[in-house]
């Protein structure tokens, strides 16, 4: 009876050590999963697809280049190109507000990534 209790305690201790090792491995290999406020969906939305050093010229960019900007998908990119064809070159970044589908919020997110 005494040997049986010792075996059970050793078994529980072994499981506890194994659980600690698995947790340690998870912390070492997947640190973002355990950081405060991390969610994969939020991470992909909050990071722009273009770097600050790679500013895109609104007057020369094609639809594919415009789609690399945060908040600009295929329809907005085509709207920018169509606006440029109808009204000529952009004279300021703020002129994007005249493009259908682009409001103050989207413009604020684009100002660091575009030039005219």
């Amino acid at each position: 009876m005494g040997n049986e209790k010792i075996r059970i305690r050793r078994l529980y201790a072994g499981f506890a050590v194994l659980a600690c090792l698995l947790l340690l491995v998870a912390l070492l290999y997947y640190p973002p999963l355990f950081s405060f406020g991390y969610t994969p969906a939020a991470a992909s939305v909050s990071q722009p697809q273009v770097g600050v050093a790679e500013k895109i010229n609104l007057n020369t960019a094609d639809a594919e280049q415009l789609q690399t900007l945060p908040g600009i998908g295929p329809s907005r990119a085509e709207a920018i190109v169509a606006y440029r064809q109808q009204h000529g070159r952009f004279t300021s970044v703020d002129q994007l507000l005249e493009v259908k589908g682009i409001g103050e919020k989207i413009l604020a997110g684009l100002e660091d990534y575009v030039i005219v």
Side-chain angles (χ1 to χ4, degrees), residues 17-85:
V17 169
L18 182 62
C20 289
L21 287 174
L22 289 174
L23 181 62
L24 180 64
V25 168
L27 288 171
L28 290 174
Y29 286 104
Y30 304 106
L33 295 178
F34 297 97
S35 61
F36 179 76
Y38 177 81
T39 57
S44 65
V45 171
S46 65
Q47 294 186 5
Q49 299 170 347
V50 65
V52 175
E54 304 173 24
K55 291 194 175 191
I56 293 179
N57 189 324
L58 292 174
N59 293 316
T60 59
D62 61 8
E64 284 184 23
Q65 291 172 319
L66 292 169
Q67 288 180 43
T68 63
L69 294 167
I72 303 297
S75 61
R76 287 191 181 126
E78 291 298 329
I80 293 170
V81 172
Y83 180 88
R84 189 174 62 204
Q85 290 171 346

